[in-house]
Amino acid sequence: MIRFLLGRFAYLVPTFIGITIVAFGFVRLLPGDPVLLMAGERGISPERHAQLTEQLGYDRPIWVQYFEFVGNLFQGDFGNSLSTKKPVLDEFLTLFPATIELGLIAILIATLVGIPLGVFAAIKRGSVFDQVSMGAALVGYSMPIFWWGLLLIIFFSGILGWTPVSGRIDLLYFFPNGTGFMLWDSLASGQSGAFTSAVRHLILPSIVLATIPMAVIARQSRSAMLEVLSEDYVRTARAKGMSPFRVVGIHALRNALIPVITTIGLQIGVLMAGAILTETIFSWPGIGKWMIDSISRRDYPSVQGGLLLMAGVVMIVNLIVDLLYGVINPRIRHK
Amino acid sequence: MALLEIRNLTVSFETSTGLFHAVKGIDLSVQEREVLAVVGESGSGKSVAMLASMGLLPKTAKITADVMTFNGRDLLTMPDTERRKIIGRDISMIFQEPIASLNPCFTVGYQIEEVLRSHLGLNRADCRKRAVELFGAVGIPDPEKRLDSYPHQMSGGQCQRVMIAIAIACKPKLLIADEPTTALDVTIQKQILDLLMSLQEETGMGMIMITHDMGVVAETADRVAVMYKGRKMEEADVVTLFDNPSHSYTKALLSALPELATGDRLPTVSDFVDTASLQTEGAR
Ligand SMILES: Nc1ncnc2c1ncn2[C@@H]1O[C@H](COP(=O)(O)OP(=O)(O)O)[C@@H](O)[C@H]1O
Ligand SMILES: [Mg+2]
């Protein structure tokens, strides 16, 4: 197990270096000039432009800028945003809870719906339930998020008027930023209706964000379950006279979960990408929306810092998933 | 009254190419204290026949029989909830691949205690105590510590001992051993057979020993049923069968014993008989 973990850590170093290069390079490859964009419609004189560029250090060779970026990282300095002048790390930490909240609820929905769906489809293989749910999963998997989000908004917000279109809570409610987790803060504020409002705002975006992971998890659960159900130890469990619940829900499921956990881990990265679109559609004030805004402003420090932090989060989550994998799979644990 | 009584059992599978008849009308019965060997080459329907009586075949299997009773109780019409009270307690079964037959995600202790808890309703401490006794009885060294092991930490022979411990946990009346030694090393094979036979003698349980090895039959069985392609070719007590096999297929099986090997190659069934003629000979 220790060796397994050390292996994982050793793997993180080159990954990290790769990510700094990509994060640094990506935004600079985009056409557009941050100084010009800062100046806006009014334009800017060539002298002022040169002065600002020098001030920001963008006149220096690219590799000097890169090593300064990495050097600062080691001092915990992610740079300051060009537009707000605030430290990128502060901006990230302020907005991050909104994204965690959305992502966590989404992955929870995806897991809690996806696994049972896949398991039942496997047990009732070939049945109408199997065909309908796996057909739906295939559709969900290939659903363009943007289109799907808009469709849900039109139906549930526009036609039925059940859910709000954007934001995290009604403007009616106001409370100082506590933890940044709206579900918690709204409950803690004690204002009646605040929590319900927060939930209502969360429903559509989390469903949209959950759709693709849910489809992937359901399909993976089904195939893992089908494979496991024909194993000798499942026959043994039945030969021992165990109830169908124990045979399927304990003996088979525990083994089927091993590949499913890996899949869920891989979906975290997909979720981050999905969050960028989802937050934009629903004006959800999280990291995803912040990234899109920063990219359109060519806010170099925000984009490179933000990308790096997001990648860091995905890496940490994957590490946790690997740990969990060891917990659930004894054959790994004892290596 | 016979412990297990089977008359005219047929099992067929729905396959993509139509019905496949794996068992074509066999009669079998085992008495208390008796060891019945069921022999026949691979694919002759031995496992399927036993799994059918345990109710362990998939839904694609069509099972019919004139009689199929255990201890006087009709296995054909018995509801699943009733059957689950009997299998694992009064009839138990061990299989060919001991490591694959144990769940890799649970300790072997969990897998035996589960049986004790659900069939005998023992509490946690009693389960543990009984599990230690059972592991001791099947010759697992350091049983207390071994209970916390996972199957992949044990050898094939050890895993088969665990399977046997699970099978005898509730003092069954009948133990079905489906080629219990085929997947094991030769030296271990002998140990496992000896263990099974001494347990059988001690407890007086009935036993069905499925094998394709006439050597195993000679060492264990009171009576032998010979199967070929889903049919029972003949049945006799073990002395009669070895001294005076009435059927050409049985003769062929006997001559396939390694002791009788000539040259550098073991004789096989087809060296002795024309397999096509067996089909008609075996028909009733
Ligand atoms: N679930 C199944 N579906 C279709 N055919 C099966 C199934 N199980 C066994 N069979 C077939 O039934 C025949 C008898 O198998 P089996 O009883 O396992 O043979 P053995 O005598 O070696 O134990 C084989 O031809 C096998 O392919
Ligand atoms: Mg078999």
Side-chain angles (χ1 to χ4, degrees):
Chain A
M1 188 71 200
I2 305 255
R3 186 133 47 92
F4 171 70
L5 275 184
L6 282 180
R8 290 290 146 165
F9 275 115
Y11 177 71
L12 287 184
V13 176
T15 314
F16 181 79
I17 294 173
I19 291 169
T20 57
I21 294 173
V22 170
F24 178 85
F26 162 70
V27 67
R28 283 173 174 77
L29 285 177
L30 292 177
D33 175 354
V35 177
L36 272 183
L37 282 160
M38 252 159 70
E41 303 257 308
R42 286 175 292 122
I44 189 169
S45 72
E47 297 80 45
R48 181 78 184 126
H49 183 273
Q51 192 192 351
L52 272 175
T53 306
E54 195 194 328
Q55 219 174 60
L56 294 168
Y58 293 151
D59 57 338
R60 293 171 302 164
I62 195 97
W63 55 271
V64 174
Q65 294 182 45
Y66 173 73
F67 283 111
E68 186 193 47
F69 166 58
V70 175
N72 287 342
L73 284 181
F74 280 107
Q75 294 155 33
D77 179 8
F78 286 78
N80 286 2
S81 158
L82 292 185
S83 55
T84 64
K85 313 288 186 249
K86 281 195 262 175
V88 170
L89 187 61
D90 288 359
E91 298 245 299
F92 182 88
L93 291 178
T94 315
L95 297 169
F96 193 42
T99 301
I100 300 186
E101 186 168 63
L102 179 60
L104 219 57
I105 299 292
I107 202 76
L108 218 64
I109 294 177
T111 308
L112 293 183
V113 178
I115 292 180
L117 216 62
V119 168
F120 280 114
I123 301 172
K124 304 269 173 227
R125 177 189 198 168
S127 67
V128 176
F129 176 84
D130 181 23
Q131 280 163 7
V132 169
S133 61
M134 286 306 116
L138 195 63
V139 173
Y141 179 67
S142 25
M143 192 83 80
I145 288 196
F146 218 89
W147 179 82
W148 174 228
L150 291 180
L151 198 74
L152 287 183
I153 290 180
I154 291 171
F155 190 70
F156 288 104
S157 309
I159 298 175
L160 294 173
W162 287 357
T163 53
V165 181
S166 70
R168 298 180 76 189
I169 195 159
D170 279 344
L171 296 173
L172 222 59
Y173 304 100
F174 180 79
F175 29 83
N177 223 343
T179 58
F181 294 96
M182 196 55 84
L183 289 178
W184 177 262
D185 289 348
S186 62
L187 259 185
S189 76
Q191 296 174 34
S192 75
F195 180 70
T196 330
S197 170
V199 170
R200 275 160 34 94
H201 279 79
L202 194 52
I203 289 175
L204 280 195
S206 52
I207 289 178
V208 169
L209 190 54
T211 302
I212 289 176
M214 191 196 305
V216 175
I217 291 171
R219 292 177 67 80
Q220 169 75 65
S221 303
R222 178 181 181 272
S223 66
M225 200 66 190
L226 277 181
E227 203 174 309
V228 162
L229 281 176
S230 62
E231 293 284 349
D232 282 0
Y233 53 77
V234 171
R235 182 185 58 192
T236 304
R238 292 199 291 132
K240 292 198 294 189
M242 297 295 118
S243 65
F245 173 78
R246 280 198 79 82
V247 173
V248 174
I250 296 192
H251 284 275
L253 185 61
R254 179 71 185 269
N255 285 277
L257 280 183
I258 292 171
V260 174
I261 294 269
T262 313
T263 305
I264 293 175
L266 292 174
Q267 289 306 306
I268 307 284
V270 177
L271 210 68
M272 280 285 176
I276 294 182
L277 283 176
T278 310
E279 291 182 1
T280 307
I281 305 169
F282 289 93
S283 307
W284 188 267
I287 299 297
K289 188 166 177 301
W290 173 62
M291 275 287 99
I292 291 287
D293 294 345
S294 300
I295 290 171
S296 62
R297 280 196 294 264
R298 301 292 184 276
D299 187 341
Y300 289 180
S302 294
V303 176
Q304 67 200 20
L307 281 179
L308 197 66
L309 286 163
M310 274 167 83
V313 169
V314 172
M315 270 156 54
I316 290 171
V317 171
N318 277 326
L319 199 67
I320 295 172
V321 170
D322 282 339
L323 278 179
L324 214 68
Y325 187 78
V327 169
I328 200 163
N329 187 353
R331 275 169 295 192
I332 289 272
R333 202 186 319 151
H334 296 111
K335 276 214 180 110
Chain B
M1 182 183 59
L3 208 48
L4 183 69
E5 176 87 64
I6 294 172
R7 244 177 273 151
N8 195 19
L9 171 69
T10 69
V11 181
S12 43
F13 292 100
E14 286 168 34
T15 65
S16 46
T17 53
L19 270 191
F20 171 76
H21 301 277
V23 176
K24 303 166 188 167
I26 62 163
D27 302 342
L28 284 178
S29 70
V30 203
Q31 312 292 324
E32 279 178 44
R33 311 197 153 267
E34 186 186 34
V35 180
L36 170 71
V38 179
V39 292
E41 56 185 21
S42 171
S44 54
K46 308 181 297 286
S47 301
V48 167
M50 289 305 124
L51 291 171
S53 48
M54 296 272 287
L56 293 177
L57 286 175
K59 283 193 212 80
T60 51
K62 291 258 166 307
I63 303 170
T64 65
D66 295 344
V67 174
M68 190 155 82
T69 59
F70 174 75
N71 229 3
R73 299 186 61 185
D74 187 1
L75 291 169
L76 282 170
T77 55
M78 182 180 288
D80 284 344
T81 46
E82 281 305 303
R83 191 198 308 276
R84 284 198 295 273
K85 287 181 196 157
I86 294 179
I87 67 173
R89 192 185 68 185
D90 297 328
I91 318 180
S92 37
M93 190 159 176
I94 60 175
F95 303 95
Q96 183 171 338
E97 298 287 341
I99 301 178
S101 294
L102 289 165
N103 194 322
C105 281
F106 296 94
T107 62
V108 290
Y110 178 89
Q111 297 183 58
I112 189 169
E113 284 167 32
E114 172 182 56
V115 174
L116 295 166
R117 198 168 352 108
S118 66
H119 284 304
L120 306 179
L122 298 186
N123 64 30
R124 200 178 252 272
D126 289 345
C127 276
R128 192 80 185 174
K129 218 176 104 216
R130 181 83 181 109
V132 173
E133 285 169 17
L134 284 161
F135 270 28
V138 297
I140 294 174
D142 206 357
E144 216 143 337
K145 213 175 122 223
R146 266 312 184 193
L147 282 175
D148 295 324
S149 300
Y150 288 88
H152 69 272
Q153 298 171 308
M154 306 174 89
S155 66
Q158 294 284 310
C159 282
Q160 196 59 295
R161 284 177 197 271
V162 172
M163 283 298 291
I164 293 171
I166 293 174
I168 61 165
C170 305
K171 303 199 170 79
K173 297 186 173 68
L174 176 66
L175 175 66
I176 303 173
D178 188 352
E179 311 210 23
T181 58
T182 307
L184 302 175
D185 291 344
V186 184
T187 47
I188 312 289
Q189 286 188 1
K190 174 96 174 67
Q191 294 174 11
I192 295 291
L193 279 184
D194 288 348
L195 171 66
L196 281 171
M197 294 331 291
S198 73
L199 286 170
Q200 189 271 334
E201 235 154 72
E202 246 168 67
T203 61
M205 62 186 170
M207 189 150 112
I208 298 178
M209 174 68 75
I210 301 177
T211 180
H212 56 249
D213 180 346
M214 277 297 185
V216 172
V217 175
E219 261 177 75
T220 60
D222 302 318
R223 212 150 44 81
V224 190
V226 180
M227 280 184 70
Y228 180 74
K229 294 213 168 155
R231 290 202 170 83
K232 190 169 81 174
M233 309 303 282
E234 76 170 295
E235 183 174 333
D237 68 80
V238 70
V239 182
T240 316
L241 189 100
F242 273 79
D243 284 352
N244 188 17
S246 65
H247 210 281
S248 55
Y249 177 67
T250 315
K251 286 177 197 151
L253 273 177
L254 283 172
S255 7
L257 274 176
E259 293 90 277
L260 303 176
T262 50
D264 54 0
R265 175 178 149 273
L266 290 181
T268 64
V269 171
S270 41
D271 291 345
F272 296 87
V273 283
D274 164 21
T275 41
S277 73
L278 288 173
Q279 303 280 27
T280 41
E281 249 183 287
R284 304 173 329 143

